[in-house]
Amino acid sequence: MQRLGLANLLLLAGMLSLCQGAAAQQSDAMRHGVSVMQSHYLLADLTYGTASGQDLKMDVFVAGKGGPRPTLVYFHGGGWVSGSKATSMLYTLPYLSMGWTVVNVEYRMAGTALAPAAVEDARCAVRYALSRQKDFNIDPQRVVLSGHSAGGHLALIAAMLPVSAGLDRQCAGRDEIKVAAVVNWYGITDVVDELDGPNMKEYAVRWLGAQPDRADIARRVSPLTHVRAGLPPVISVHGDRDDLVPYAHAVRLKQALDRAGVANALVTVEGGRHGGFSTNEETRAYEAIETFLRKAGVLQ
């Protein structure tokens, strides 16, 4: 039998250790996945409203253990013209992993109804979720709105728009919507900026259409229009080379929130474009989000 030298023995021992470590990591991941699975149940395709001849749907992943839970209300991206809750579901995994209730929302696209329909739907979805807080195990003091791109815009405007703007008529509720925080992933903050000029975007033009008052509507649905004291804390994540939603949108939002005295943060992904961030960049962003939500009192 051939005898192994010390170097070979050390190499073999290292390989065995790596295999055992990988197996341990896989076991930990499996156990965590089982824990998430067992601690939630899904209420799929709930109708939260009806508009333009269609039922408006949401999926609710109810965290069923430990009393009312922090809750994420998530809006998918797609420039208000495409996308779906199904294709964006993976964006909610970090929150499911923390044991949150997650509400994943669909809304009317430009092909069904022009602006401000999507904003009306976003507001109605939040109101509906809060109205069923006991059914969904929601802690109403720890509700966070989030979304990517157009979804980031909808999360911002759903939290910031006052009732006096007149876009809550499609659903019940006259009280101002109150949430604990907003997590904005490279969302549009100035819709007017994308209608004309150097930052004009085809998706924004499609969403506003040829409405004669489109500029007024664009201003009314722009988060920057509604910055004021008393808003919930906002954290934004944005690449400084984003070619779809200018990085300046995030910078201007931060500056406006600072002036209004609203707690906020901007995580800049250097060299980052419109999403597609690396694992390290995503991890850094979520670490910043976790720290921010802890300061906001959402995480304990």
Side-chain angles (χ1 to χ4, degrees):
M1 180 177 180
Q2 184 178 6
R3 299 176 65 179
L4 294 176
L6 178 60
N8 286 331
L9 285 172
L10 290 173
L11 178 60
L12 179 59
M15 293 173 63
L16 289 172
S17 176
L18 286 173
C19 290
Q20 291 169 352
Q25 291 174 3
Q26 290 170 357
S27 297
D28 289 343
M30 183 69 74
R31 282 192 291 270
H32 184 66
V34 170
S35 175
V36 172
M37 177 184 68
Q38 292 185 336
S39 62
H40 290 80
Y41 60 91
L42 171 62
L43 300 173
D45 285 330
L46 296 181
T47 298
Y48 67 86
T50 302
S52 303
Q54 73 175 49
D55 290 336
L56 307 173
K57 302 288 188 178
M58 62 169 56
D59 294 335
V60 183
F61 297 83
V62 181
K65 296 181 180 179
R69 303 297 300 156
T71 297
L72 178 78
V73 181
Y74 183 81
F75 303 97
H76 66 79
W80 310 290
V81 299
S82 63
S84 71
K85 61 182 172 62
T87 57
S88 300
M89 184 266 167
L90 292 178
Y91 287 125
T92 71
L93 286 180
Y95 300 90
L96 290 171
S97 181
M98 291 190 293
W100 291 32
T101 286
V102 168
V103 180
N104 192 14
V105 180
E106 281 195 347
Y107 50 89
R108 283 173 290 171
M109 302 291 168
T112 299
L114 300 176
V119 174
E120 294 172 337
D121 296 349
R123 299 274 292 181
C124 288
V126 176
R127 290 192 181 281
Y128 180 83
L130 290 173
S131 75
R132 296 192 60 183
Q133 58 190 252
K134 292 184 178 179
D135 298 330
F136 300 159
N137 207 23
I138 291 173
D139 181 345
Q141 304 302 314
R142 294 191 287 168
V143 174
V144 175
L145 308 188
S146 185
H148 287 66
S149 193
H153 161 265
L154 291 175
L156 288 166
I157 199 67
M160 297 169 68
L161 193 77
V163 171
S164 60
L167 296 181
D168 293 87
R169 297 169 185 157
Q170 292 278 2
C171 48
R174 297 184 180 275
D175 295 335
E176 301 291 352
I177 290 176
K178 295 182 180 179
V179 298
V182 179
V183 178
N184 162 41
W185 291 82
Y186 42 88
I188 301 97
T189 65
D190 184 355
V191 180
V192 178
D193 180 52
E194 299 199 330
L195 284 185
D196 293 294
N199 290 326
M200 184 177 68
K201 297 293 185 290
E202 185 267 345
Y203 61 81
V205 173
R206 286 178 60 190
W207 189 44
L208 273 298
Q211 301 176 88
D213 56 347
R214 68 175 199 151
D216 290 336
I217 295 172
R219 276 189 290 272
R220 189 159 48 139
V221 300
S222 292
L224 280 170
T225 300
H226 304 288
V227 173
R228 62 197 182 279
L231 291 176
V234 176
I235 182 170
S236 298
V237 181
H238 213 121
D240 61 8
R241 296 184 64 191
D242 192 329
D243 55 358
L244 282 179
V245 178
Y247 175 63
H249 279 222
V251 173
R252 291 170 60 202
L253 178 64
K254 175 168 178 51
Q255 292 170 342
L257 292 170
D258 285 343
R259 289 193 295 268
V262 177
N264 73 96
L266 171 57
V267 179
T268 299
V269 181
E270 295 183 5
R273 296 189 180 276
H274 196 68
F277 303 145
S278 70
T279 300
N280 287 339
E281 290 165 342
E282 290 273 359
T283 300
R284 182 172 69 88
Y286 275 106
E287 287 173 348
I289 290 167
E290 185 175 1
T291 298
F292 187 82
L293 293 181
R294 200 172 299 281
K295 289 181 179 178
V298 178
L299 295 175
Q300 299 172 349

